[in-house]
C-alpha cells in the first residue's frame, strides 16, 4: 500500500516530502521518472510506491505525450481492482504457459548446429575418399596393364580403402547423432506448439478483457472530462488530445506511485493532487 | 522448396514480414508456415528467421513426390481402389479386411524408402 508520506525525495542535501512535491527546476523529467521507477537517479533518491502498469501511459503528463487511450483506460481499470469475465481463464492460461516454459527449460539446449555440420563434413569427406579409392584403383590397373610393379600401388589402394571405411563409420555415427538431435527437436516442438496456441489464446483473452474494461469505464471517462481542467472532447472521447486523455485517465486510475506533471493545466502541485487524487511530482 | 514453420507469435510475425517483402521468393504462404524457393536467397531468409527466433523456427526441405519411385504398388492400388469403392460409408480398415489391400496398421509401421 501507499507509504506515508506518499513521496519522499532527497536531492543531495535537500529533502522534499508529502503528497505533492515541487523539486527545483534543475531536475529533469527523465531523472525524475527513473527515480520513480528504480528509486535512484544520479543524486536523486526517491521513496514511494512502485509504479503500476497504468503509469506507462499516464505517469508523465506533458504536452507532447502520446497515449493509447483504450489500453491506458483498461489498465486504469485494473489499477482499481476491476475484473472481467475472462480473468479466470486468463489465469489458467498464464499458469499453463509457465508450466510449459519450465518444461522447455528442462530440455537439453538445442544444439543441432554442430551435429549437422559434422554430418555434412563427414559426407563430404566420404565423397572425396571415394574418389581417392577410384583413383588408386585406376593407378593399380595402369601398373598391371603396363607390366609394372604393383606392390606399392596395391598398398596405396588398401590404405585408401581402409581410410574410406573409417570415414564411413564416422559418417554413420554422425548421422545417428543427428537422429538423436532431431528427436529432441521434435519433442521441443511439441511443447512449442502447445505454447504457441496458448499464447494466441492469451492474446485473445487479453483483448477481450481490455474491451470489457473500456466498456465498463466509458461513461465515467466521458464524465471525468467535465470535472477536470481539460478541453471538452466533442464527440469521440477516444480521439481526445493525448494530454487531456492522460489527465482524465490518471484521475480515473487508483494511482499509488507519483505522477510527474510538466504542463500548465494545473495551478500548482496541490491543485494537481486534488484533481488527480494521486501523489504528484510537479516540474 | 524450403518449408518454414513458425512456433511463436514473434516468429510468425517475422515470417509475415518476410513474405510481404520478398514475394518473388515465397512460393506459398499459410499464415504461420510458408514455402520458400530453394534458392540461396530463400535459404538466407529462412536462416535469418532461425537466427532471430531459434527453436521456434523449423526448416525442412521438400522434394517432388514420385509415387512410382517411392511408394509400393500395393499402397498405390489400395488408394485408387478405395476411392473407387461402391459403398461410400465404409472406413478403409473394413474395406481392406479380407482383401490383399494393406491394413492401416501395417502401412503406419512401414517408412517410405
Amino acid at each position: 500500500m501507499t507509504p506515508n508520506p506518499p513521496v519522499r525525495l532527497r536531492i543531495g542535501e535537500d529533502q522534499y516530502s508529502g503528497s505533492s512535491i515541487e523539486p527545483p527546476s534543475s531536475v529533469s523529467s527523465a531523472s525524475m521518472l527513473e527515480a520513480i521507477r528504480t528509486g535512484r537517479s544520479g543524486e536523486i533518491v526517491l521513496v514511494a510506491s512502485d509504479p503500476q502498469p497504468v503509469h506507462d501511459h499516464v505517469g508523465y503528463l506533458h504536452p507532447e505525450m502520446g497515449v493509447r487511450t483504450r489500453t491506458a483506460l483498461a489498465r486504469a481499470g485494473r489499477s482499481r481492482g476491476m475484473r472481467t469475465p475472462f480473468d479466470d481463464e486468463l489465469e489458467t492460461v498464464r499458469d499453463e504457459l509457465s508450466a510449459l516454459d519450465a518444461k522447455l527449460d528442462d530440455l537439453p539446449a538445442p544444439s543441432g548446429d554442430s551435429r549437422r555440420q559434422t554430418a555434412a563434413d563427414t559426407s563430404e569427406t566420404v565423397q572425396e575418399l571415394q574418389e581417392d579409392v577410384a583413383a588408386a584403383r585406376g593407378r593399380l590397373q595402369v601398373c598391371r596393364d603396363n607390366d609394372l610393379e604393383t606392390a606399392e600401388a596395391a598398398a596405396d589402394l588398401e590404405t585408401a580403402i581402409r581410410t574410406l571405411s573409417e570415414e564411413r563409420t564416422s559418417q554413420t555415427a554422425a548421422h545417428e547423432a543427428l537422429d538423436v538431435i532431431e528427436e529432441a527437436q521434435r519433442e521441443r516442438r511439441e511443447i512449442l506448439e502447445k505454447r504457441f496456441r496458448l499464447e494466441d489464446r492469451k492474446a485473445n483473452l487479453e483483448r477481450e478483457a481490455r474491451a470489457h474494461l473500456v466498456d465498463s469505464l466509458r461513461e465515467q471517462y466521458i464524465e471525468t472530462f467535465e470535472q477536470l481542467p481539460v478541453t471538452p472532447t466533442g464527440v469521440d472521447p477516444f480521439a481526445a488530445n493525448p494530454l487531456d486523455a492522460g489527465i482524465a485517465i490518471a484521475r480515473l486510475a487508483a494511482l499509488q506511485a507519483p505522477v510527474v506533471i510538466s504542463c500548465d493545466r494545473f495551478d500548482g502541485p496541490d491543485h494537481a493532487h486534488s484533481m488527480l487524487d494521486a501523489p504528484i511530482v510537479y516540474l | 522448396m524450403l518449408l518454414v514453420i513458425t512456433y511463436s507469435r514473434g516468429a510468425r510475425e517475422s515470417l509475415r514480414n518476410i513474405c510481404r517483402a520478398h514475394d518473388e521468393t515465397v512460393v506459398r504462404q499459410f499464415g504461420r508456415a510458408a514455402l520458400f524457393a530453394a534458392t540461396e536467397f530463400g535459404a538466407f531468409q529462412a536462416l535469418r528467421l532461425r537466427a532471430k527466433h531459434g527453436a521456434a523456427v523449423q526448416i525442412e526441405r521438400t522434394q517432388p513426390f514420385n509415387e512410382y519411385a517411392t511408394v509400393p504398388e500395393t499402397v498405390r492400388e489400395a488408394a485408387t481402389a478405395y476411392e473407387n469403392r461402391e459403398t461410400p460409408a465404409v472406413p478403409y480398415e473394413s474395406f481392406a479386411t479380407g482383401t490383399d489391400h494393406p491394413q492401416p496398421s501395417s502401412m503406419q509401421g512401414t517408412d517410405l524408402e
Side-chain angles (χ1 to χ4, degrees):
Chain A
M1 278 334 309
T2 322
N4 194 11
V7 192
R8 274 208 312 273
L9 186 63
R10 181 158 49 82
I11 305 175
E13 294 290 311
D14 302 320
Q15 303 213 29
Y16 307 80
S17 82
S19 316
S20 57
I21 59 174
E22 192 171 358
S25 49
S26 54
V27 174
S28 74
S29 52
S31 43
M32 222 42 255
L33 288 167
E34 190 187 354
I36 290 171
R37 223 174 26 245
T38 69
R40 312 192 67 101
S41 178
E43 271 203 307
I44 303 172
V45 178
L46 185 141
V47 177
S49 292
D50 287 333
Q52 301 132 279
V54 68
H55 275 82
D56 287 352
H57 305 276
V58 302
Y60 176 32
L61 299 174
H62 62 286
E64 299 86 34
M65 67 183 280
V67 69
R68 280 152 61 210
T69 309
R70 282 184 170 77
T71 310
L73 198 50
R75 285 183 170 180
R78 289 296 190 191
S79 74
R80 288 159 55 152
M82 286 175 69
R83 290 184 59 80
T84 77
F86 308 97
D87 289 356
D88 285 341
E89 195 183 344
L90 255 174
E91 197 179 324
T92 307
V93 168
R94 286 189 179 131
D95 286 344
E96 284 174 14
L97 277 168
S98 293
L100 288 175
D101 281 338
K103 265 178 135 173
L104 281 171
D105 284 340
D106 280 344
L107 290 179
S111 60
D113 256 51
S114 59
R115 295 201 188 184
R116 283 194 298 275
Q117 176 128 63
T118 307
D121 288 346
T122 56
S123 291
E124 193 179 335
T125 309
V126 159
Q127 255 191 319
E128 286 166 6
L129 292 175
Q130 279 168 334
E131 284 161 25
D132 289 349
V133 165
R137 271 214 175 93
R139 283 196 298 278
L140 178 59
Q141 191 56 44
V142 163
C143 291
R144 286 192 177 128
D145 291 347
N146 292 287
D147 276 331
L148 297 171
E149 249 302 324
T150 59
E152 200 182 319
D156 284 349
L157 177 58
E158 212 181 299
T159 306
I161 290 174
R162 191 171 48 242
T163 310
L164 173 59
S165 169
E166 283 163 6
E167 191 63 26
R168 277 211 170 108
T169 307
S170 298
Q171 186 189 36
T172 306
H175 281 98
E176 278 167 8
L178 200 51
D179 283 345
V180 169
I181 281 290
E182 279 169 4
E183 185 52 47
Q185 279 176 346
R186 255 191 296 276
E187 199 186 335
R188 180 174 286 268
R189 278 185 204 123
E190 284 301 317
I191 300 175
L192 285 175
E193 182 71 18
K194 288 191 180 106
R195 199 176 173 285
F196 192 11
R197 289 178 192 276
L198 281 174
E199 289 276 4
D200 273 345
R201 182 72 193 129
K202 185 177 84 149
N204 282 335
L205 288 169
E206 284 173 347
R207 206 170 10 246
E208 309 242 41
R210 255 198 312 276
H212 189 269
L213 289 165
V214 167
D215 263 347
S216 308
L217 284 171
R218 179 179 289 269
E219 298 270 324
Q220 267 189 66
Y221 175 58
I222 295 170
E223 284 166 16
T224 304
F225 272 89
E226 289 155 24
Q227 297 169 18
L228 294 175
V230 298
T231 318
T233 63
V235 182
D236 185 3
F238 293 92
N241 171 279
L243 176 55
D244 301 337
I247 290 172
I249 294 172
R251 162 88 186 156
L252 275 179
L255 297 169
Q256 275 134 38
V259 173
V260 176
I261 303 229
S262 187
C263 66
D264 56 7
R265 295 302 174 78
F266 304 98
D267 301 333
D270 294 330
H271 182 217
H273 173 66
S274 77
M275 281 288 109
L276 298 185
D277 192 21
I280 302 290
V281 173
Y282 199 82
L283 293 178
Chain B
M1 293 181 282
L2 298 175
L3 174 61
V4 180
I5 308 170
T6 58
Y7 287 82
S8 75
R9 289 167 62 78
R12 179 177 58 196
E13 186 59 40
S14 297
L15 177 63
R16 280 204 182 121
N17 291 339
I18 290 175
C19 291
R20 236 194 316 265
H22 299 290
D23 185 64
E24 75 295 331
T25 294
V26 179
V27 175
R28 205 69 67 220
Q29 211 221 335
F30 312 98
R32 62 179 281 204
L35 285 167
F36 289 177
T39 60
E40 287 180 5
F41 193 69
F44 167 70
Q45 292 299 343
L47 290 173
R48 249 188 87 192
L49 205 51
R50 186 153 69 186
K52 187 170 177 191
H53 298 284
V57 175
Q58 178 181 8
I59 308 173
E60 303 286 328
R61 186 171 193 174
T62 72
Q63 10 171 319
F65 177 62
N66 184 350
E67 68 273 33
Y68 297 99
T70 312
V71 181
E73 196 176 353
T74 52
V75 175
R76 297 198 309 266
E77 284 176 352
T80 314
Y82 183 60
E83 288 310 313
N84 291 329
R85 68 191 180 283
E86 295 194 346
T87 35
V90 175
Y92 176 73
E93 198 166 349
S94 321
F95 172 81
T97 307
T99 69
D100 286 336
H101 297 308
Q103 282 290 309
S105 53
S106 109
M107 290 192 283
Q108 278 157 5
T110 313
D111 288 344
L112 292 175
E113 296 279 319

